[in-house]
Amino acid sequence: MPGGKKNTVYRRKRKGKPFTGVQRYARKAKKMPRADREVTNSASSSSCDEALSDAESASISASRLKMRPEDSPDSSSKISDVNDFQGEGYRLVDLKKLYATLSEAHVCEEDTITKKGQSFDVNRRAVYHSLETGGGYEGLVTFCSIMNMPCLSLPAYYRQVDTILEALEAEAKDEMTQAGIRVREYILKESGDEVNDDVVDAAVSFDGTWAKRGFTSLTGVVFVISVDTGEVLDYHVLSKECRKCTMKRSQCQTDEEFEAWQIEHLASNECDINFNGSSPAMEAEGAIVVWSRSVELHKIRYKWMVSDGDSKAFNTVENIYGDDCKVEKLDCVGHVQKRMGKHLLNLKARTKGKLADGKPIGGRGRLTESRIKRLQKYYGLAIRQNTLTKANLTEREVDVVVYTMKKNIIAILHHSVQSQDAAKQHRFCPVGEDSWCKWQQDCATGTNTYEAGDCLPEVFFELLKPTFITLSETKLLQRCVRGATQNRNECINGLVWARCPKHKHHGAKVIRCAVASTVCHFHSGAASRARIMQRLVIPAGEYTQKASEEKDKRRLRKSDLQTSAKEKSAGKESK
């Protein structure tokens, strides 16, 4: 077509910079001899151990801190070597073909299948697997039906659950006892008195979680986790339902018959009901239980309590130790940080019409959602970067930290709002080359990298000032001095409901199994499963050990990667 664009067969060049890296298959690594690889691996592992031992020069992830060998000196005495179990593991086979083959060569005179008490070894392993994965009895039935295998009956299944529950709770109790000892040692070491049998005061994070979303859950769980070591010190499961009571009530013809049975049922301590009240009240009731037995279990008083801002549990335990030792409330830094965003969003919604400069509060270059998120992040950094992790803080140290936090929060307000006098605008910002303020960096280095156009107009100063003053109150910042969060509680809550999914109904005993298993896994990782199996007389073999080690390695690698990523992002945000 005349005047049309002529097609070309040549490929257009890609715009942008060319690839400057190394092609994937450009260089083939030379294969290293096996002996050299072993030497290299041993050297790298020893260097990693040396790096981890120096806690001051490198940060360590929370998972690695809990699972390090030096934190559990008694772990070797708890479990025998899994190599003592010489079994080759289980295989899925066709019994008819196996029987036909073996009957030609040998006739068995007696049953040689391994039994553990009154149950088969494989049955207990199968039930333990269903509890760990959250499949339950229905999941086990489905697996057996697909594999064309017979399955346990429901009564036999719950008999195994009772046995497994006893072993899990015994192991979890030992884990929490050792955790309490480590917390006492840490606090006494901080105070300079390492040999002391007196009761010590500790800071803990507390949170409740429910088996069902909403306010109609029949089961709830509360956890107490040490702020200093990050380990679980105590937990309590509250239930408003008993499976046996429900079944018996449907079988009884009259109320008198059920009441007569219930008296014997309660006397035998087999009833799962330990709470009568509303589901939201479970958290406060659980707090009373765990706080009242803290001295008996660990010789520790939970003096500082990290909880939600609207938690009613604090009011129930504030005077539980008497007037001489009142429980003090600490705020989760993550929840406090969100208050800045909530206050600014409410301010934006309340402010109607135009401001003094004739423009609305929102819009380009004004108080947008991205700007609110940025101010919220800066507010959180102003608190987190000035916290202290010591177990016992003096009033002088607290006052200094609170003053520094206030100064940094006010610096955010002045730094974010444009002013005609740049020196006055940035007078509260940190000085020097390492300052997060670009203007102060330029003053120290003589460069010109600061951009004044990224600030809010001057009319926003008086509008935002009340919000910043409210969120920099002394009492609020005093509750944030330790920089504590409820992240560990949220983590352990997720582990519990991974074993008991919330979209399914679970009885109290199954949830107790999940909670006890979670505590063991939270402290020692998948390696704790071998100790539990030893208690259940189903020894862990070679494949159990390999799978547990690989799972723990993946967990530590992921935790270390997240820690390094957080450090990198924190370094970028502080600049």
Side-chain angles (χ1 to χ4, degrees):
M1 180 177 179
K5 188 175 181 181
K6 186 177 181 181
N7 295 330
T8 177
V9 296
Y10 297 102
R11 183 178 179 182
R12 294 182 178 179
K13 292 184 178 180
R14 182 179 296 174
K15 296 182 179 180
K17 296 181 180 180
F19 179 71
T20 58
V22 180
Q23 295 292 340
R24 184 176 181 182
Y25 300 105
R27 298 180 181 178
K28 293 185 178 179
K30 295 182 179 180
K31 191 172 183 181
M32 188 182 298
R34 184 180 184 87
D36 295 342
R37 288 203 306 269
E38 292 177 354
V39 173
T40 305
N41 292 337
S42 62
S44 61
S45 62
S46 62
S47 62
C48 290
D49 294 338
E50 293 176 359
L52 288 176
S53 63
D54 190 2
E56 296 180 357
S57 60
S59 62
I60 304 175
S61 62
S63 296
R64 190 173 290 279
L65 280 174
K66 290 195 291 287
M67 297 169 59
R68 287 174 66 181
E70 56 266 25
D71 287 345
S72 55
D74 299 334
S75 60
S76 59
S77 61
K78 289 184 180 180
I79 176 174
S80 60
D81 191 3
V82 295
N83 293 327
D84 295 341
F85 180 64
Q86 301 297 331
E88 294 295 334
Y90 288 95
R91 300 293 187 274
L92 298 176
V93 298
D94 190 334
L95 290 181
K96 289 185 177 180
K97 293 182 179 180
L98 179 64
Y99 176 77
T101 304
L102 294 179
S103 60
E104 297 177 358
H106 178 70
V107 178
C108 297
E109 298 180 357
E110 59 180 0
D111 188 9
T112 57
I113 299 178
T114 305
K115 285 189 176 183
K116 305 299 178 185
Q118 297 296 324
S119 67
F120 292 108
D121 179 280
V122 67
N123 290 349
R124 186 165 294 176
R125 292 177 186 268
V127 176
Y128 183 39
H129 165 267
S130 68
L131 294 174
E132 286 290 287
T133 57
Y137 181 71
E138 293 299 328
L140 184 60
V141 170
T142 303
F143 172 78
C144 292
S145 63
I146 293 175
M147 299 304 299
N148 194 24
M149 296 165 53
C151 186
L152 285 79
S153 63
L154 190 61
Y157 178 86
Y158 278 104
R159 285 196 295 270
Q160 295 288 354
V161 170
D162 293 338
T163 304
I164 295 172
L165 173 61
E166 183 179 354
L168 284 171
E169 289 187 336
E171 183 65 27
K173 184 178 180 180
D174 291 346
E175 288 282 354
M176 292 187 295
T177 301
Q178 295 298 323
I181 294 174
R182 287 189 285 270
V183 172
R184 281 183 54 85
E185 291 176 351
Y186 177 84
I187 296 174
L188 293 175
K189 185 178 179 181
E190 287 286 335
S191 60
D193 189 6
E194 299 186 9
V195 181
N196 194 340
D197 292 334
D198 296 338
V199 178
V200 298
D201 299 331
V204 297
S205 60
F206 174 82
D207 192 24
T209 180
W210 288 263
K212 183 180 178 181
R213 298 175 181 89
F215 301 99
T216 59
S217 178
L218 299 176
T219 311
V221 188
V222 295
F223 286 100
V224 171
I225 301 179
S226 171
V227 172
D228 299 314
T229 62
E231 295 178 305
V232 180
L233 296 177
D234 199 2
Y235 71 87
H236 186 59
V237 181
L238 300 101
S239 175
K240 299 193 295 182
E241 181 194 33
C242 178
R243 176 176 168 270
K244 291 184 178 180
C245 292
T246 304
M247 294 180 62
K248 191 65 178 179
R249 185 182 291 275
S250 62
Q251 296 173 359
C252 293
Q253 300 295 332
T254 61
D255 294 340
E256 290 77 8
E257 182 181 355
F258 173 74
E259 291 176 358
W261 173 86
Q262 191 177 30
I263 293 174
E264 298 179 358
H265 180 58
L266 294 174
S268 61
N269 293 326
E270 295 180 355
C271 187
D272 295 330
I273 299 176
N274 59 0
F275 176 76
N276 292 313
S278 63
S279 298
M282 287 182 177
E283 188 175 25
E285 180 66 21
I288 295 175
V289 173
V290 295
W291 252 259
S292 60
R293 64 190 184 192
S294 64
V295 177
E296 180 183 355
L297 290 178
H298 307 297
K299 288 188 178 181
I300 296 175
R301 290 181 299 198
Y302 305 148
K303 185 176 180 179
W304 295 279
M305 176 184 184
V306 182
S307 62
D308 300 332
D310 57 347
S311 177
K312 297 180 181 179
F314 171 73
N315 297 330
T316 60
V317 299
E318 184 177 5
N319 299 313
I320 198 167
Y321 296 127
D323 296 334
D324 296 336
C325 180
K326 285 193 174 184
V327 178
E328 300 178 11
K329 187 177 184 300
L330 301 179
D331 283 340
C332 172
V333 177
H335 288 84
V336 173
Q337 177 180 343
K338 293 179 182 178
R339 295 185 187 181
M340 174 62 75
K342 185 177 180 180
H343 277 67
L344 294 179
L345 288 174
N346 292 338
L347 175 65
K348 185 178 179 180
R350 291 195 312 266
T351 306
K352 305 297 182 181
K354 297 181 179 181
L355 302 181
D357 59 351
K359 296 181 180 180
I361 189 173
R364 186 175 182 180
R366 316 284 284 186
L367 192 63
T368 58
E369 291 187 6
S370 60
R371 177 81 64 174
I372 291 175
K373 290 181 180 179
R374 192 190 309 175
L375 292 175
Q376 176 179 310
K377 182 177 67 176
Y378 292 163
Y379 176 71
L381 289 174
I383 296 176
R384 286 189 171 94
Q385 292 178 352
N386 297 282
T387 56
L388 294 176
T389 58
K390 291 176 60 178
N392 298 310
L393 299 175
T394 62
E395 293 184 2
R396 173 63 179 172
E397 291 174 337
V398 173
D399 293 339
V400 172
V401 171
V402 170
Y403 173 77
T404 308
M405 287 182 182
K406 282 187 175 183
K407 183 179 178 181
N408 289 351
I409 293 172
I410 297 301
I412 296 171
L413 175 61
H414 286 266
H415 177 85
S416 302
V417 179
Q418 194 173 10
S419 176
Q420 296 179 357
D421 187 358
K424 181 180 179 181
Q425 178 183 354
H426 301 282
R427 67 183 185 275
F428 294 107
C429 299
V431 298
E433 299 179 2
D434 299 331
S435 174
W436 49 263
C437 177
K438 294 292 184 181
W439 189 86
Q440 292 288 358
Q441 288 183 11
D442 293 342
C443 292
T445 59
T447 56
N448 188 17
T449 59
Y450 175 71
E451 297 180 2
D454 194 32
C455 299
L456 290 170
E458 193 172 356
V459 70
F460 279 88
F461 184 83
E462 294 297 331
L463 185 65
L464 300 179
K465 186 176 180 180
T467 299
F468 278 82
I469 292 177
T470 301
L471 295 179
S472 60
E473 292 180 351
T474 302
K475 291 184 178 180
L476 174 63
L477 298 181
Q478 284 177 348
R479 298 196 296 267
C480 301
V481 168
R482 299 182 67 98
T485 66
Q486 289 183 302
N487 293 344
R488 296 186 180 100
N489 292 84
E490 299 296 337
C491 174
I492 200 169
N493 292 346
L495 291 176
V496 171
W497 306 125
R499 290 163 170 78
C500 290
K502 289 192 175 185
H503 65 275
K504 296 181 180 179
H505 175 73
H506 303 278
K509 288 186 177 180
V510 175
I511 294 178
R512 286 167 58 188
C513 287
V515 174
S517 174
T518 297
V519 171
C520 299
H521 187 86
F522 190 74
H523 284 183
S524 306
S528 62
R529 192 169 293 161
R531 298 195 295 269
I532 297 170
M533 295 175 70
Q534 184 179 359
R535 290 178 181 269
L536 293 171
V537 203
I538 47 174
E542 176 186 358
Y543 302 105
T544 307
Q545 183 186 20
K546 287 182 178 179
S548 299
E549 290 178 353
E550 185 61 30
K551 188 173 183 179
D552 287 339
K553 287 180 181 178
R554 289 196 301 268
R555 173 184 174 182
L556 293 176
R557 284 197 298 265
K558 182 179 179 181
S559 181
D560 293 340
L561 181 63
Q562 290 176 345
T563 303
S564 60
K566 286 180 181 178
E567 287 187 348
K568 292 178 181 178
S569 61
K572 292 179 181 179
E573 291 172 354
S574 61
K575 292 182 180 180

